[in-house]
Amino acid sequence: MDKRFQKKLLVALITGMLMPLAASAADADLMSKIEAMSRELEALKAQVKANEVKSAQTAEQVKAVAAKTESTEVAELKSQVTRLEGKSLSKWLTIGGDYRFRYDYLEGQSKTFTDVSATFANAQTSLQTAMLTDTTGTAAANLAGLAQFSSAMMGVQTYDQAVAFQPMVDGMMPALGAYAVTVPAYKPKNSSLYSNRFNLNLNAKATQDVSVTANLAMYKVFGSQTDSAVTNAGSAPFFADRVGVFDGTLSHVPSSSNLNVDRVYATWSNIADQEMWLSVGRRPSTGGAPSNLRNNTAVRPGNGGTPSLLVDYAFDGVTLGYAPEIDALPGAYAKFCYGRGFESGFTDFTGNSLEDTDMVGISVVPIDTDPLRVWLQWNRGMNIFDAPTMSNTYFGNTAPKTNLGDIDWFGVGFMSTHKNVGPGTLQVFGDVGMSITRPNNNVSAQFGFQGLMTGAFFNPEAPSTKKGTAVALGVRYDLPSRSKFGFEWNHGSKNWITFAPAADDMWTAKMGTRGDVYEAYYIQELDRQPISSFFSKAFFRVGVQYYKFDYTGSNNWVGAPVAIGDVNGNLMTTTPLEDATNLYATFEVKF
């Protein structure tokens, strides 16, 4: 538009120069017009330039608004995503677990013994029957005498009282001997025991540094909702830890299809911004190292649990732990543990009240890495009860009647992983333990005046400290084909006693054996990609356990051990075994 105007102006000027000048007044008028037109031209140029600047500013403002709007929308979208992620279950809740089908073939060899419970029951039944035809009153008098003896017997509380009561025992035994039930040596056998076990693990992050962990468990045999298949129902049980299911073994010994709370505890971590934690609840005190090897547990033991040689018992309690950062001791930590094994209730002001059964322990792990894990453990069980609370056992409904004393346990062990040993990986473990009993002067009337590792039925022994030792060794060789071969051996001395009734063994907790146990197993994992978690897997396991017992009373702290070779008709509450074999096969899925 500027160029056209300039052209017109130029033509006008040229024309004006060619025209004759009329007069000076006309010239003045022409100059005035030219100046006016020049001013208009400059004003027009300024307006065009101002319009261009305004247009540029408007474009920038549009871009800025658009960018701001886009940024706001993106920020809001990101905020929505963050809020949704925060509410997502996977953000705060982890779910896992396992299922196991198991087949067991069980066979053993017993020794001849006299069954205490069956003898008393036979005497009572025989005398009651005799009363129907006895006209002399002898049967009734004998039955009354038996009842009086039993009542007086249950009043015995201490070793001194048991010694004082011994003349009554000596007077009763000849008459009671007439009703003795002697059980000849036999071969107990179950050729097909099938079982289902299910665990559901939950971990919830409640707040920063505070979480709750739970495990719900079910364990039952096929075709039954009781523990009778593993307790030798109808006959004297074989071992004290398989008399019946109680608080410390619930969901670890086959019983019913009830989904029980096996574990639940809250953990506060990073206390005072330190590697310190406090955990309280039903503890992870079962399935500790090194039992994770034969169980093919993917996750390492971590800072929970206790060595399986010393403790395998479902405790309620608390743990306080600390993991210092020491370069020379990677993964090191220590913890103090407390648990309650029996709650006695209100104190009986009349005296002779039962005390709570508690356990304290200190665990020190100086190194915990993939190549090497080392542990040192001390536990003390205080006010040990004579029998746990159980229902519908061979002995009826049982409950603690007295406290027998304390037990100390000491242990040291290691696990080591060696890669590239041939084509595979070799894992090795070793564990040694010592138990020291510290009996008080009490005896168990319901078990014939036996004390803490002292005496026999109706044959009390003065309280004395007993020391026992145990050792466990094992290897597992893992191949790239997902095949794993393992062998384990453990030995317990005459006076060895552990606290492991919840161990995953059918006959009895092998770590509590007074004798030797050999176990060999083969694991084959399926070559399938994990879906539910990184540790998910499915596998078959086939194995065999062979028990060779040197002494009676494995896993039983009531009464003194007797050499198996010396057992011949002895008065006993449980069936003594010389040896036992367990062939097993499992299909297991961990998710």
Side-chain angles (χ1 to χ4, degrees):
M1 187 169 92
D2 295 339
K3 292 182 179 180
R4 289 197 302 270
F5 183 78
Q6 291 175 357
K7 287 180 180 181
K8 290 180 181 181
L9 180 61
L10 183 61
V11 170
L13 292 174
I14 296 173
T15 304
M17 288 187 295
L18 296 176
M19 292 177 61
L21 300 176
S24 59
D27 292 339
D29 184 59
L30 179 62
M31 289 302 294
S32 176
K33 290 181 179 180
I34 292 173
E35 290 175 357
M37 293 179 67
S38 295
R39 287 194 297 272
E40 291 178 358
L41 179 61
E42 292 298 328
L44 184 60
K45 286 182 178 181
Q47 183 177 0
V48 171
K49 186 174 181 180
N51 289 340
E52 289 178 349
V53 172
K54 186 175 182 181
S55 297
Q57 290 176 345
T58 302
E60 290 297 327
Q61 290 176 353
V62 170
K63 289 181 180 180
V65 171
K68 183 177 181 180
T69 302
E70 182 179 357
S71 176
T72 302
E73 291 177 351
V74 170
E76 289 180 355
L77 183 60
K78 288 181 178 179
S79 178
Q80 291 177 5
V81 171
T82 301
R83 287 196 299 269
L84 290 174
E85 287 179 347
K87 294 180 179 179
S88 173
L89 283 177
S90 61
K91 185 74 174 181
W92 62 273
L93 181 64
T94 303
I95 301 176
D98 67 83
Y99 165 77
R100 183 182 77 183
F101 162 76
R102 175 165 172 153
Y103 161 80
D104 287 277
Y105 173 93
L106 302 162
E107 186 177 66
Q109 176 62 59
S110 75
K111 297 283 289 186
T112 300
F113 76 106
T114 299
D115 188 333
V116 170
S117 296
T119 295
F120 273 90
N122 183 43
Q124 183 177 7
T125 302
S126 299
L127 290 173
Q128 288 173 340
T129 303
M131 285 177 58
L132 299 176
T133 57
D134 181 26
T135 59
T136 64
T138 302
N142 289 339
L143 185 61
L146 179 62
Q148 183 181 8
F149 174 84
S150 298
S151 177
M153 169 184 167
M154 296 308 296
V156 173
Q157 301 170 6
T158 66
Y159 167 72
D160 297 328
Q161 292 173 350
V163 172
F165 189 80
Q166 202 61 35
M168 288 191 66
V169 173
D170 296 338
M172 177 61 69
M173 287 307 295
L176 193 62
Y179 304 101
V181 177
T182 300
V183 182
Y186 70 102
K187 291 182 179 293
K189 179 180 178 180
N190 189 336
S191 60
S192 58
L193 178 65
Y194 305 111
S195 61
N196 283 318
R197 191 189 70 185
F198 173 69
N199 286 284
L200 181 63
N201 303 320
L202 306 171
N203 182 266
K205 297 178 181 178
T207 68
Q208 180 182 359
D209 298 330
V210 177
S211 64
V212 175
T213 302
N215 180 62
L216 309 180
M218 179 278 292
Y219 193 12
K220 70 179 293 291
V221 300
F222 280 28
S224 176
Q225 290 285 340
T226 71
D227 55 17
S228 59
V230 295
T231 60
N232 198 28
S235 300
F238 300 108
F239 300 97
D241 62 339
R242 296 297 180 266
V243 170
V245 173
F246 58 97
D247 181 63
T249 64
L250 187 64
S251 299
H252 294 274
V253 174
S255 56
S256 74
S257 58
N258 293 337
L259 193 63
N260 300 299
V261 179
D262 173 44
R263 298 176 181 176
V264 59
Y265 54 92
T267 303
W268 176 22
S269 304
N270 299 320
I271 300 175
D273 293 327
Q274 300 293 318
E275 290 297 321
M276 184 183 302
W277 69 94
L278 174 69
S279 184
V280 62
R282 192 156 175 84
R283 309 302 304 145
S285 51
T286 57
S291 64
N292 58 298
L293 290 180
R294 66 165 178 154
N295 291 331
N296 199 30
T297 303
V299 182
R300 291 177 57 82
N303 57 24
T306 53
S308 59
L309 180 63
L310 302 185
V311 175
D312 208 318
Y313 190 105
F315 271 107
D316 301 288
V318 61
T319 293
L320 178 64
Y322 178 61
E325 293 185 5
I326 303 175
D327 293 338
L329 300 173
Y333 68 87
K335 61 182 180 178
F336 168 80
C337 305
Y338 163 81
R340 173 147 295 175
F342 168 68
E343 168 57 50
S344 62
F346 291 107
T347 300
D348 182 358
F349 66 91
T350 60
N352 191 39
S353 270
L354 280 172
E355 299 290 340
D356 298 330
T357 298
D358 294 325
M359 179 176 284
V360 295
I362 295 177
S363 177
V364 177
V365 177
I367 184 169
D368 186 8
T369 63
D370 286 335
L372 180 63
R373 172 187 170 92
V374 177
W375 60 85
L376 300 94
Q377 184 81 24
W378 167 77
N379 299 326
R380 168 167 283 194
M382 298 174 289
N383 302 314
I384 300 295
F385 50 72
D386 59 343
T389 301
M390 298 178 286
S391 300
N392 302 318
T393 75
Y394 182 65
F395 309 112
N397 295 335
T398 68
K401 301 294 185 182
T402 188
N403 302 113
L404 298 176
D406 303 338
I407 305 176
D408 282 316
W409 288 275
F410 302 88
V412 57
F414 76 94
M415 293 175 62
S416 180
T417 301
H418 305 273
K419 298 181 179 180
N420 301 318
V421 178
T425 298
L426 180 67
Q427 303 197 60
V428 182
F429 75 81
D431 206 357
V432 294
M434 174 182 289
S435 62
I436 303 176
T437 60
R438 306 183 189 280
N440 54 30
N441 201 44
N442 293 343
V443 294
S444 174
Q446 63 180 332
F447 292 113
F449 314 143
Q450 298 178 90
L452 185 62
M453 298 284 290
T454 61
F457 205 93
F458 285 159
N459 186 13
E461 174 190 349
S464 61
T465 295
K466 304 288 181 69
K467 294 182 181 180
T469 57
V471 59
L473 301 172
V475 297
R476 196 183 80 182
Y477 190 59
D478 303 350
L479 292 171
S481 60
R482 299 176 184 256
S483 301
K484 303 176 181 182
F485 300 88
F487 179 79
E488 298 181 4
W489 165 79
N490 63 275
H491 173 82
S493 68
K494 175 182 177 179
N495 292 312
W496 166 247
I497 183 64
T498 185
F499 212 69
D504 190 21
D505 303 301
M506 282 296 183
W507 273 116
T508 186
K510 72 173 189 175
M511 291 299 182
T513 299
R514 293 168 183 159
D516 298 277
V517 182
Y518 305 87
E519 181 172 6
Y521 60 87
Y522 163 66
I523 296 170
Q524 181 59 59
E525 295 184 359
L526 302 184
D527 187 12
R528 295 294 184 271
Q529 291 296 320
I531 296 178
S532 60
S533 76
F534 177 76
F535 299 108
S536 298
K537 58 184 174 182
F539 60 91
F540 292 92
R541 179 162 59 113
V542 179
V544 58
Q545 290 179 325
Y546 176 71
Y547 294 76
K548 180 62 177 176
F549 300 100
D550 296 334
Y551 297 90
T552 62
S554 294
N555 290 298
N556 188 4
W557 53 75
V558 179
V562 179
I564 287 293
D566 295 338
V567 176
N568 186 17
N570 304 46
L571 203 60
M572 293 185 168
T573 55
T574 58
T575 303
L577 291 185
E578 279 189 280
D579 57 65
T581 301
N582 181 194
L583 298 171
Y584 63 85
T586 72
F587 174 61
E588 305 183 46
V589 181
K590 298 185 183 295
F591 60 90

